[in-house]
């Protein structure tokens, strides 16, 4: 065997993800692709996967990726002649308590929102479908008939054959030993059998992906965890087409296999394998059986399927699976290396995801940008925090332990905290702050009154912070509040070509005079919104860019990647250089003018401007901007001075009744004002025109920018979807997002976000209304609307303007 000396794309790893990626690169894009596997195909974790294929996730795009897998597996044998073991058995998910049942009602609504048919069954119906099951403790079950199961090795071999049929070259027993690099680009893949020059590399190395990535200086935050399941002898009375079974309240799953059962689970005390290097020679290998650890699953499984007590066990499988710190897999282009793409960390969803992940990853490799909104799995959701292997291990084990727990709204992770704190952490703790965390930062979600314990108590209905957040919300509307937003991601772009670079990258016109601030989106070539942020001009050749905490790596990477070739512009991350205090509310100016000698009147300091002012002897960047719909400033303070400036504001604000306010109130305030949240209301799938943000796009200016051509194509055409607000009067309803929107009884879309507006006294949701014939103002206004919430229809009113907009003179006065 002689390796080729060059290829357009080298895929590393011959498991299901690598083979699927190679197959799609070759089939869909006719790319010259070489796949390298250090052992034999499937020999990592693919061969010992349980092979359950579920499709429904809370993201519409990821659900589409999983649905694609099912469609691919259905037809693959006909194309390649190799069986995949695909069986559409459907899947039953069991519920034994009221909260789980509410979760399923919400999931069934989400499924319908995404065009899938999930049914809710009674215990008697479940018993009829699975007679060997004990159903006495059930409230009911959800039933998704299009889910199923497959043989992981057979699918992978079928994909590999398909890849070869379309011209891909696959090599086994070739180990990657490193990369030749030129700057931040890989020029060649080094192996133990020679080097291959290439344009792009796709790292699908499974539990070795972290090690492979490290050779190119990139971080892939994975943790191998020991996952066990058993395969039983034949069980009398078990149908060969028995549905796969998930019993999350007992943390177990079952699928039929050759007349017996495969049974495994997700325990609350999982066992990590190693935080060090994974041995290269771990080919078709397993750990020793560990019945002591597995006993917790056996006890629960026998209670559900009593026949298990007497049946023999053919085999126990105890193998490592790659898990991630948030339970979502990892796709996309690595921020540290311009031409390495990653597909790894599938959290035991590798078989379900394999077909679709290979499809979108191949498209991403060819186009250089994701074909869908894949933010929840994008590798750029991580940061330098995720280089800490012990932190990643601790958080990943918590995520594994939550695999089958009830997904309560607003639930926070508890492990590895506190990790990053602002200088105000202890001050806010003394004020009874209840913190959440975002990208490692501790952030105050709400402040507990003396009568309430300062901790979140999760539930499916109104949670224990609801009233306290309402008080904070009203306080900002009527007086003045101060938000600690120090976790904001902050960058400076400087250089002679900084303005030229931003003109191309930003959809809005940021080439304004020094001292001006602009809200803008960054678009992809489809016109979809890749980011939204503010750009302030500090000097002719220097700009200050502020974006959301969680988007730090993503937005910096997007901006850097799109600075034109040969332009002299440098992006510097200054997040930790500045604390951020947002002073918001009708009394904000009174407080600010009391602590600075600068003129902060509306005439001298209008909306959309940035000034340097002095507070408590420190120079502060004051940005006149708001996300709450009230008069306000973001004050960007040298980080070491944050405490002093906060104390000065609190002292001066005492007579104006100032108080610290948390992120939950910020969310309800922005819902009333109709501000869009990136990642939910606006995503790479949505254009500014559809989102009602066309006013922030410089289409009238004769300047090219990323996404302009796509917007011009649809500019004159009737939009097929449009963003709208909805209110529900029923106070018992809880809106979270993904509830179905009905217009005249027909589904036309789903909510992208939801919550409660305390000023308007109503539940508020936002989402896109869709129609193939176009969505005009008249179409929107003329319909009668309902929302489906946890499978119940409830009347709703549509709103095309902000629900709350303080009189403009109050914002300006």
């Amino acid at each position: 065997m002689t390796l080729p000396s060059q290829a357009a794309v080298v895929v590393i790893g011959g498991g299901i993800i690598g083979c699927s990626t190679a197959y799609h690169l070759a089939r869909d894009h006719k790319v010259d692709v070489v796949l390298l596997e250090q052992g034999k195909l499937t020999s990592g974790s693919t061969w010992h996967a349980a092979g359950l294929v579920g499709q429904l996730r809370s993201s519409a795009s990821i659900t589409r990726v999983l649905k694609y897998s099912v469609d691919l597996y259905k037809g693959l044998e006909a194309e390649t002649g190799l069986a995949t073991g695909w069986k559409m058995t459907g899947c039953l998910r069991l519920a034994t308590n009221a909260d789980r049942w509410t979760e399923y009602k919400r999931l069934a609504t989400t499924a319908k929102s995404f065009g899938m048919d999930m049914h809710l069954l009674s215990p008697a119906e479940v018993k009829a479908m699975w007679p060997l099951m004990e159903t006495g403790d059930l409230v009911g079950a959800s039933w998704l008939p299009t889910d199923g199961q497959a043989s992981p090795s057979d699918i992978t071999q079928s994909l590999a054959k398909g890849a070869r049929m379309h011209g891909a070259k696959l090599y086994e027993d070739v180990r990657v030993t490193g990369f030749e690099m030129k700057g931040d680009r890989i020029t060649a893949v080094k192996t133990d059998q020679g080097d291959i020059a290439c344009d792009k590399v796709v790292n699908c190395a499974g539990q070795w992906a972290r090690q492979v990535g490290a050779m190119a200086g990139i971080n892939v935050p994975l943790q191998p965890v020991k996952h066990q399941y058993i395969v039983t002898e034949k069980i009398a009375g078990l149908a060969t087409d028995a549905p796969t079974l998930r019993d999350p309240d007992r943390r177990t799953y079952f699928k039929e296999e050759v007349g017996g059962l495969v049974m495994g689970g997700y325990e609350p005390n999982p066992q990590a394998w190693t935080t060090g290097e994974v041995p290269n020679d771990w080919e078709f290998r397993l750990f020793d059986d560990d019945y002591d650890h597995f006993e917790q699953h056996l006890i629960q499984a026998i209670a559900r399927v009593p026949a298990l007590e007497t049946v023999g066990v053919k085999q126990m499988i105890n193998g490592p699976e790659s898990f991630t710190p948030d339970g979502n897999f990892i796709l996309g282009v690595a921020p540290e290396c311009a031409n390495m793409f990653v597909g790894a960390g599938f959290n035991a969803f590798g078989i379900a995801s394999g077909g679709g992940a290979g499809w979108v990853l191949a498209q991403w490799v060819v186009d250089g940008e994701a074909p869908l909104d894949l933010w929840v799995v994008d590798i750029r959701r991580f940061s330098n925090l995720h280089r800490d292997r012990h932190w990643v291990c601790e958080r990943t084990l918590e995520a594994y332990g939550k695999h089958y727990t009830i997904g309560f709204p607003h639930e926070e992770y508890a492990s590895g905290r506190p990790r990053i704190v602002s200088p105000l952490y202890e001050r806010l703790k003394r004020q009874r702050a209840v913190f959440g965390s975002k990208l490692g930062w501790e952030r105050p979600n709400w402040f507990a009154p003396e009568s309430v314990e300062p901790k979140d108590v999760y539930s499916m209905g109104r949670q224990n912070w609801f009233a306290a957040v309402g008080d904070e919300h009203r306080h900002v509307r009527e007086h003045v509040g101060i938000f600690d937003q120090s976790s904001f991601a902050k960058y400076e772009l400087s250089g002679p070509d900084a303005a030229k670079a931003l003109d191309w990258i930003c959809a809005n016109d940021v080439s304004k005079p020094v001292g001006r601030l602009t809200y803008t989106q960054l678009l992809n070539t489809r016109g979809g919104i890749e980011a939204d942020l503010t750009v302030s001009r500090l000097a002719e050749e220097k700009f200050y860019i502020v974006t959301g905490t969680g988007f730090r790596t993503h937005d910096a990477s997007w901006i850097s990647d799109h600075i034109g070739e040969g332009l002299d512009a440098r992006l510097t991350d200054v997040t930790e250089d500045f604390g951020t205090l947002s002073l918001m509310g009708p009394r904000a100016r009174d407080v600010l003018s009391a602590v600075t000698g600068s003129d902060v009147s509306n005439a001298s300091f209008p909306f959309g401007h940035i000034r340097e002012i002095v507070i408590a002897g420190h120079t502060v960047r004051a940005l006149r901007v708001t996300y709450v719909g009230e008069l306000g400033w973001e004050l960007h303070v040298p980080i070491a001075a944050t405490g002093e400036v906060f104390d000065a504001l609190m002292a001066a604000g005492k007579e104006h009744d100032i108080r610290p306010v948390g992120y939950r109130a910020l969310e309800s305030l922005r819902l009333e004002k109709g501000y869009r949240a990136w990642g939910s209301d606006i995503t790479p799938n949505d254009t500014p025109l559809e989102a009602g943000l066309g006013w922030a796009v410089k289409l009238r200016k004769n300047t090219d920018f990323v996404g302009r051509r796509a917007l011009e194509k649809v500019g004159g055409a009737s939009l097929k979807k449009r963003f709208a607000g909805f209110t529900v009067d029923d106070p018992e309803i809880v809106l979270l997002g993904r509830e179905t929107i009905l217009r005249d009884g027909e589904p036309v879309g789903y909510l992208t976000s939801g919550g409660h507006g305390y000023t308007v006294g109503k539940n508020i949701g936002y989402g896109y209304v869709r129609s193939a014939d176009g969505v005009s103002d008249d179409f929107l206004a003329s319909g009668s609307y309902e929302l489906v919430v946890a499978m119940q229809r409830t009347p709703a009113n549509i709103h095309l303007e902000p629900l709350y907009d303080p009189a403009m003179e109050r914002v300006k006065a």
Side-chain angles (χ1 to χ4, degrees):
M1 178 194 73
T2 307
L3 291 180
S5 60
Q6 63 184 63
V9 177
V10 174
V11 176
I12 301 168
I16 189 166
I17 309 300
C19 289
S20 177
T21 304
Y23 167 83
H24 285 94
L25 281 166
R27 187 196 74 177
D28 298 347
H29 306 286
K30 311 295 181 266
V31 169
D32 167 26
V33 60
V34 167
L35 180 146
L36 306 175
E37 163 54 49
Q38 67 174 352
K40 300 289 185 227
L41 296 182
T42 79
S43 66
S45 55
T46 298
W47 72 278
H48 63 72
L52 275 66
V53 180
Q55 300 164 86
L56 183 62
R57 299 295 278 268
S58 60
S59 154
S61 290
I62 303 305
T63 299
R64 190 173 155 197
V65 167
L66 300 180
K67 281 167 78 172
Y68 176 94
S69 293
V70 166
D71 292 340
L72 179 70
Y73 302 160
K74 279 182 197 168
L76 198 58
E77 183 178 352
E79 181 189 342
T80 67
L82 289 185
T84 61
W86 167 249
K87 283 201 300 187
M88 198 170 85
T89 55
C91 177
L92 284 167
R93 288 176 177 81
L94 309 182
T96 66
N97 58 68
D99 278 341
R100 180 74 71 184
W101 192 234
T102 300
E103 181 181 44
Y104 286 0
K105 286 191 281 190
R106 288 189 171 278
L107 276 173
T109 303
T110 298
K112 285 205 165 41
S113 291
F114 296 169
M116 300 170 76
D117 215 10
M118 180 182 268
H119 307 271
L120 297 176
L121 307 183
S122 69
E125 290 171 306
V126 174
K127 184 76 172 175
M129 290 174 78
W130 235 93
L132 296 178
M133 190 198 313
E134 176 55 55
T135 58
D137 61 338
L138 293 190
V139 178
S142 70
W143 164 242
L144 201 53
T146 52
D147 278 357
Q149 60 193 69
S151 162
S153 294
D154 290 350
I155 287 183
T156 306
Q157 295 294 352
S158 193
L159 286 166
K161 184 176 179 188
R164 291 189 187 100
M165 285 164 60
H166 292 289
K169 303 180 189 76
L170 282 66
Y171 298 92
E172 296 180 312
D173 302 310
V174 178
R175 180 166 300 152
V176 172
T177 57
F179 301 100
E180 266 178 40
M181 307 279 294
K182 186 176 181 183
D184 68 345
R185 295 189 75 83
I186 295 167
T187 55
V189 177
K190 297 178 177 180
T191 80
D192 56 1
Q193 294 179 45
D195 299 352
I196 306 176
C198 62
D199 300 324
K200 293 175 181 177
V201 172
V202 192
N203 176 0
C204 299
Q207 58 202 3
W208 292 273
R210 181 160 72 178
Q211 282 146 248
V212 169
M215 295 176 193
I218 79 160
N219 181 41
V220 185
L222 296 178
Q223 176 58 51
V225 180
K226 297 178 181 181
H227 185 75
Q228 296 188 89
Y229 64 87
I230 56 168
V231 185
T232 76
E233 303 285 359
K234 288 192 174 176
I235 298 175
L238 180 65
T240 54
D241 61 350
T244 59
L245 197 61
R246 288 180 169 88
D247 188 2
D249 295 324
R250 293 183 181 273
R251 295 176 177 266
T252 51
Y253 61 79
F254 307 80
K255 75 161 187 169
E256 186 277 337
E257 191 169 285
V258 203
L261 280 177
V262 167
M263 185 282 288
Y266 292 87
E267 61 276 15
N269 57 337
Q271 298 174 312
W273 179 18
T274 175
T275 55
E277 303 292 277
V278 174
N280 283 324
D281 59 356
W282 194 269
E283 186 184 350
F284 294 117
R285 282 174 61 185
L286 295 169
F287 303 112
D288 292 339
D289 296 350
D290 186 351
Y291 276 100
D292 288 345
H293 192 71
F294 195 70
E295 184 185 21
Q296 56 190 311
H297 293 318
L298 274 175
I299 291 166
Q300 296 291 351
I302 289 166
R304 179 64 66 213
V305 184
L308 283 171
E309 191 156 21
T310 53
V311 74
V313 174
K314 273 204 295 201
Q315 187 183 12
M316 172 175 264
I317 303 283
N318 184 5
E321 297 258 8
S322 272
F323 285 81
T324 65
D326 61 3
N328 285 320
F329 49 88
I330 299 175
L331 288 185
V333 64
E336 307 94 334
C337 176
N339 61 340
M340 180 184 271
F341 295 77
V342 178
F346 280 84
N347 304 284
F349 280 108
I351 310 309
S353 314
W359 161 56
V360 291
L361 195 51
Q363 192 79 45
W364 204 331
V365 169
V366 170
D367 293 345
E369 63 181 39
L372 300 170
D373 167 26
L374 297 172
W375 168 242
V376 294
V377 296
D378 194 318
I379 191 168
R380 294 167 298 182
R381 71 188 187 272
F382 300 117
S383 69
N384 281 332
L385 159 73
H386 296 90
R387 291 182 178 275
D388 180 337
R389 291 188 173 193
H390 294 288
W391 189 94
V392 165
C393 179
E394 194 181 342
R395 177 58 58 88
T396 301
L397 292 181
E398 184 185 6
Y400 178 104
K402 286 184 169 178
H403 197 86
Y404 274 167
T405 59
I406 293 168
F408 288 110
H410 313 291
E411 191 173 356
E412 296 274 354
Y413 283 101
S415 60
R417 294 177 55 189
R419 176 63 188 225
I420 308 168
V421 298
S422 99
L424 304 182
Y425 180 69
E426 291 300 335
R427 284 174 175 82
L428 298 176
K429 213 169 164 182
R430 288 194 294 272
Q431 300 253 14
R432 302 176 61 78
V434 182
F435 292 90
S437 81
K438 195 75 165 277
L439 213 62
W441 284 84
E442 292 293 313
R443 314 189 318 168
N445 276 340
W446 60 287
F447 292 82
E450 290 295 335
S451 58
V452 178
E453 188 185 357
K455 65 176 270 196
D456 286 328
V457 178
Y458 300 118
S459 79
M460 281 296 181
R462 293 273 178 242
Q463 298 190 354
N464 68 318
W465 44 262
F466 183 77
V469 169
D471 288 342
E472 293 174 36
H473 172 117
R474 282 183 286 273
H475 202 88
V476 175
R477 288 273 181 257
E478 294 165 11
H479 303 284
V480 57
I482 188 165
F483 300 82
D484 180 11
Q485 296 191 278
S486 299
S487 62
F488 269 157
K490 304 170 273 277
Y491 328 105
E492 288 176 355
L493 187 75
S494 52
D497 297 323
K500 190 174 179 187
L502 285 173
D503 220 21
W504 165 246
I505 294 167
C506 298
N508 206 346
D509 182 8
V510 299
S511 61
K512 291 173 183 163
V514 172
R516 291 294 301 277
L517 172 156
T518 307
Y519 164 79
T520 184
Q521 297 117 37
L522 314 185
L523 307 183
N524 55 41
T525 56
R526 304 188 311 280
I529 301 169
E530 286 288 340
D532 76 328
L533 38 78
T534 61
V535 177
S536 302
R537 193 163 201 167
L538 300 176
E540 283 301 315
E541 297 184 0
K542 187 175 184 183
F543 294 82
Y544 185 52
I545 301 169
V546 182
T547 189
T549 306
F551 316 135
R552 179 177 181 176
T553 307
H554 173 275
D555 291 5
S557 176
W558 184 270
I559 293 166
S560 298
D561 290 350
H562 289 81
I563 293 173
E565 199 72 28
L567 292 188
D568 186 355
R570 293 170 307 286
L571 189 74
T572 311
D573 189 317
V574 294
T575 299
E576 275 82 15
D577 294 357
F578 295 93
T580 303
L581 304 174
S582 291
L583 187 69
M584 299 285 156
R587 312 303 295 273
R589 182 175 285 117
D590 299 326
V591 177
L592 194 57
S593 59
V595 294
T596 183
S598 301
D599 183 354
V600 294
S601 67
N602 193 59
S604 178
F605 199 155
F607 187 79
H609 283 66
I610 179 172
R611 301 269 188 274
E612 286 200 336
I613 64 175
V614 175
I615 303 175
H618 301 284
T619 302
V620 171
R621 290 177 181 174
L623 284 61
R624 175 93 189 272
V625 65
T626 177
Y627 193 54
V628 302
E630 293 289 347
L631 171 69
W633 283 263
E634 277 176 21
L635 304 172
H636 293 249
V637 183
I639 194 97
T642 309
E644 278 181 68
V645 172
F646 175 80
D647 291 344
L649 289 165
M650 290 297 286
K654 202 164 186 178
E655 65 179 287
H656 304 292
D657 206 11
I658 194 169
R659 65 179 280 190
V661 179
Y663 271 82
R664 298 242 167 94
L666 185 78
E667 173 67 7
S668 72
L669 290 158
R670 77 96 190 163
L671 283 169
E672 289 187 338
K673 187 65 177 74
Y675 288 128
R676 284 66 159 155
W678 192 85
S680 52
D681 302 321
I682 50 176
T683 75
N685 290 349
D686 312 306
T687 70
L689 305 180
E690 294 164 338
L693 296 171
W695 57 268
V697 182
K698 56 185 177 218
L699 282 172
R700 288 203 184 102
K701 192 180 175 192
N702 189 22
T703 315
D704 199 11
F705 58 89
V706 183
R708 179 173 187 130
R709 277 177 209 139
L711 293 188
E712 284 175 334
K713 273 183 196 159
V714 297
S718 177
L719 295 170
K720 303 289 189 268
K721 69 174 195 189
R722 278 179 59 189
F723 191 75
F726 296 89
T727 54
V728 172
D729 293 338
D730 184 346
E732 296 306 307
I733 295 289
V734 176
L735 298 181
L736 300 168
R738 293 177 292 283
E739 293 85 356
T740 311
I741 303 166
L742 302 179
R743 178 185 179 276
D744 298 339
E746 293 298 314
V748 289
Y750 54 89
L751 297 188
T752 50
S753 65
H756 190 77
Y758 295 90
T759 308
V760 299
K762 294 177 193 288
N763 297 301
I764 301 171
Y766 290 102
Y768 289 87
V769 175
R770 295 164 165 81
S771 171
D773 298 327
V775 184
S776 63
D777 285 355
D778 190 49
F779 177 88
L780 288 170
S782 62
S784 171
Y785 291 91
E786 295 169 288
L787 298 177
V788 184
V789 184
M791 297 302 282
Q792 295 294 312
R793 288 160 74 142
T794 184
N797 295 308
I798 191 168
H799 302 269
L800 304 180
E801 298 293 329
L803 288 154
Y804 175 83
D805 203 355
M808 287 311 290
E809 59 271 13
R810 211 177 93 192
V811 174
K812 291 177 180 171

